Amino acid sequence: MRLRYILITTALIFIAASGWAALRASRSISEFRERGSVRKYIFYMNEQEFGRLESKCAGEKDFDDRPSYRFDEKLHLDYSAFGRDYVLDIDNRHYVDDRGYYVGDEMKLKSSGQSQTLHLGVQGDGVAGYYTRNQNREEVNLPMAIPFFAVDNNLIDQYEIFLAMHNIRIGDTLSDTIFIPQSLYRAAFKIVIENFIPVRYGDMADSAYVCRFLLPNDQTMYFTRDKKIIKLSQPSQKLEVILSESPLDKMAPPKSPFGFEDFFWRIPVYLVCLAVGLVFAIPFLRKYFRQPELYLILILGGFLFPLINQIQLPLQRWFAENYMIPGIKSGGSIYYYGLYSALISGLVQETLKLIPVALFFMWRHPGRNLTIALGVFCGLGFGIHEAASLSGAAYQSGALSIFSMAMFRYLMTILFHAVTGGAFGYALHRGWIKVIIVWLALVVIHAFINYLFIFVQKAVFDVTILEILTILIYLLLLLAVYLMVRRSR
């Protein structure tokens, strides 16, 4: 009876959580743009640069006594290189509420010797304010259905706000009507989320949603999981807008909050990771399921993975800032400097797994087979956390299917960490010299796997080849460790 009540209560909780999560359609501005964050975009036409946009999040600022978030935007476009005597400069303060809906604009615009200012804001059931053109002022009072989104011409960071406020997935169609403050009219638009693919932008690469505009014009935006527009393409105008980003930004620890809604939608992929981890653990549980050390080191291994953000990423950022970026600018090869960055990841992660296994070995002095089991469980905790972290957001966004090669590679990561942990357990019973040899070998193998990503970024081979190579390495390592342990018996 008690079990029945527990199951019913659990089911009701999940049903209630499902309804709550489904009703919560909007996000918060603070989830993807922190105060002080800057987006810099470069405009190209016929592969020639002709303009720049800088957007800085100024944080929470009131507009006409209304709480809001302010974005300071500076746009400069110069068409003189294309035979047009036209230069446009816009200095704007764009205000939105916490859900991204329009609050107001304070804009100064200069073009072809003319100046214009614009002060608009949501008031009552519409938009009110004024605009001046060459010192001639005109009042504005437009009825509008509240709330609404606003996107101005060429200020594509405002489209980023709109996309970030929707939990987009592949196959979604977004239809809405947006307000264009410069023109003082509303326009219908329609966006189809076509795919999720690797995208190059400048010297950088990332995976992004392909957001195809059907209305009001034919253009494509590429929007990443961390809520950034990295590229805009208008083939008919031969126009491209590229996010100018430093590699250092890629090495910063993730700052987006993780809420209950995110956890709820990712439960299926989390359960798959746990199930695969259990399958790998079964051979050891049969013999050592009564050993509390196994469960303790499993949990400890899981807690080790987040330390990557505090150790590995800052080290890679320091190396990039002081050596890699200056070296590449001086003509150095990304393949050379990328090797050192990959080595940092191998050193940090393999050391993190070795330390708890070594401490348990020195504390409890377990037998060889139990020490191997401890190493395996430490690696399982580390690997399950990593696989769940890497696959969870992608699954939630619709970019990853549970039945896919990418998901299989994530699950094989659990096996990789379990095998490396077991190798450390084996080595500890063979002496510290053996530990050092095994540790060095695993650091090199781990670094090599991460080093392969550079070849994907440089388009030497695609992601599918990377996944196949990675899985082959995992299986070969499993075979090598198995033969090593078996031979020692």
Side-chain angles (χ1 to χ4, degrees):
M1 293 295 291
R2 290 182 180 179
L3 178 60
R4 182 190 304 175
Y5 289 134
I6 292 173
L7 292 175
I8 293 174
T9 303
T10 303
L12 290 174
I13 291 174
F14 273 99
I15 291 172
S18 176
W20 175 82
L23 289 173
R24 187 187 170 205
S26 61
R27 297 272 182 172
S28 167
I29 289 291
S30 59
E31 289 187 26
F32 81 103
R33 287 294 298 270
E34 63 176 0
R35 181 178 180 180
S37 62
V38 178
R39 302 276 197 265
K40 295 182 180 180
Y41 292 93
I42 304 176
F43 287 70
Y44 296 91
M45 187 176 293
N46 292 324
E47 299 183 353
Q48 182 172 347
E49 180 182 338
F50 73 100
R52 289 177 176 262
L53 167 66
E54 179 177 307
S55 168
K56 180 178 180 180
C57 179
E60 298 181 53
K61 303 287 182 179
D62 286 351
F63 178 81
D64 291 345
D65 297 325
R66 290 192 59 180
S68 59
Y69 285 80
R70 192 182 84 197
F71 293 84
D72 297 336
E73 301 164 322
K74 294 182 183 294
L75 174 69
H76 173 76
L77 302 177
D78 186 350
Y79 291 86
S80 58
F82 309 106
R84 295 175 58 188
D85 186 19
Y86 181 74
V87 178
L88 173 66
D89 286 288
I90 293 179
D91 191 344
N92 186 39
R93 291 182 174 182
H94 182 65
Y95 296 85
V96 296
D97 66 16
D98 192 45
R99 296 175 297 165
Y101 291 119
Y102 184 69
V103 173
D105 275 301
E106 295 174 322
M107 181 182 298
K108 295 179 181 179
L109 184 150
K110 293 182 180 180
S111 63
S112 303
Q114 294 185 341
S115 62
Q116 181 177 340
T117 60
L118 184 70
H119 184 100
L120 292 179
V122 173
Q123 292 185 17
D125 294 329
V127 175
Y130 62 88
Y131 74 88
T132 63
R133 184 174 298 166
N134 295 329
Q135 298 182 349
N136 295 320
R137 173 167 168 157
E138 292 192 28
E139 300 296 322
V140 175
N141 197 336
L142 299 173
M144 201 82 67
I146 307 296
F148 58 89
F149 291 96
V151 178
D152 233 325
N153 298 329
N154 297 308
L155 301 179
I156 66 171
D157 61 308
Q158 296 177 11
Y159 267 122
E160 183 179 271
I161 296 172
F162 172 82
L163 291 172
M165 294 299 105
H166 293 76
N167 296 317
I168 63 174
R169 298 170 64 92
I170 297 172
D172 286 353
T173 298
L174 307 179
S175 298
D176 207 334
T177 302
I178 55 172
F179 176 60
I180 305 176
Q182 286 183 45
S183 306
L184 299 177
Y185 76 93
R186 302 187 73 185
F189 76 97
K190 189 174 185 179
I191 306 175
V192 176
I193 314 301
E194 292 185 337
N195 207 342
F196 187 83
I197 61 173
V199 178
R200 294 193 61 82
Y201 57 107
D203 295 327
M204 303 291 292
D206 203 343
S207 295
Y209 291 99
V210 180
C211 306
R212 173 76 180 277
F213 281 67
L214 304 180
L215 292 173
N217 49 34
D218 184 14
Q219 64 183 11
T220 303
M221 289 185 181
Y222 299 90
F223 184 69
T224 64
R225 288 196 202 107
D226 53 348
K227 316 297 182 185
K228 289 189 294 188
I229 293 176
I230 58 175
K231 186 177 180 180
L232 177 147
S233 177
Q234 282 188 6
S236 61
Q237 302 294 326
K238 297 182 179 180
L239 172 70
E240 280 195 341
V241 184
I242 306 294
L243 176 65
S244 177
E245 190 174 32
S246 168
L248 298 178
D249 298 329
K250 294 289 185 182
M251 299 176 186
K255 298 179 180 179
S256 59
F258 177 78
F260 175 75
E261 178 189 356
D262 300 299
F263 173 79
F264 177 81
W265 289 116
R266 300 176 190 183
I267 285 177
V269 79
Y270 289 166
L271 291 177
V272 170
C273 292
L274 288 172
V276 171
L278 177 61
V279 170
F280 295 147
I282 285 175
F284 302 93
L285 287 174
R286 287 176 176 175
K287 186 175 181 180
Y288 300 111
F289 71 95
R290 295 183 182 275
Q291 299 291 335
E293 297 96 328
L294 286 184
Y295 310 107
L296 180 59
I297 203 168
L298 175 72
I299 296 171
L300 183 59
F303 279 112
L304 288 175
F305 178 73
L307 293 179
I308 292 175
N309 295 332
Q310 281 69 48
I311 302 174
Q312 176 184 317
L313 295 183
L315 283 173
Q316 289 176 318
R317 184 181 178 89
W318 170 84
F319 173 77
E321 190 172 18
N322 291 278
Y323 295 97
M324 185 168 71
I325 294 177
I328 293 174
K329 288 182 178 179
S330 301
S333 171
I334 183 65
Y335 294 105
Y336 171 76
Y337 289 100
L339 179 61
Y340 289 96
S341 183
L343 277 172
I344 291 173
S345 65
L347 284 167
V348 172
Q349 293 190 35
E350 297 311 317
T351 302
L352 284 176
K353 287 182 291 185
L354 172 60
I355 290 175
V357 183
L359 291 176
F360 267 83
F361 175 74
M362 292 185 291
W363 172 43
R364 303 285 290 183
H365 300 289
R368 186 188 64 172
N369 290 343
L370 179 55
T371 307
I372 293 174
L374 288 171
V376 168
F377 271 64
C378 180
L380 282 176
F382 192 96
I384 291 171
H385 196 157
E386 179 176 10
S389 298
L390 295 176
S391 61
Y395 174 79
Q396 180 185 5
S397 64
L400 178 70
S401 168
I402 290 179
F403 303 100
S404 64
M405 179 64 77
M407 186 65 202
F408 184 62
R409 178 170 63 84
Y410 291 139
L411 296 177
M412 292 299 287
T413 300
I414 302 174
L415 175 65
F416 170 77
H417 289 298
V419 170
T420 54
F424 287 137
Y426 158 79
L428 283 165
H429 270 274
R430 305 287 291 179
W432 288 104
I433 294 178
K434 191 74 171 183
V435 171
I436 294 174
I437 294 173
V438 170
W439 174 76
L440 287 174
L442 294 179
V443 166
V444 171
I445 293 171
H446 196 139
F448 177 73
I449 293 171
N450 290 345
Y451 184 65
L452 291 175
F453 283 91
I454 294 178
F455 294 90
V456 176
Q457 291 184 348
K458 301 298 288 185
V460 176
F461 49 73
D462 60 18
V463 176
T464 302
I465 299 298
L466 170 67
E467 291 168 347
I468 294 173
L469 288 174
T470 303
I471 292 170
L472 286 175
I473 293 171
Y474 291 164
L475 294 176
L476 288 173
L477 178 63
L478 171 63
L479 178 61
V481 173
Y482 171 75
L483 294 176
M484 179 177 65
V485 174
R486 182 177 181 181
R487 190 177 65 175
S488 70
R489 290 179 178 178

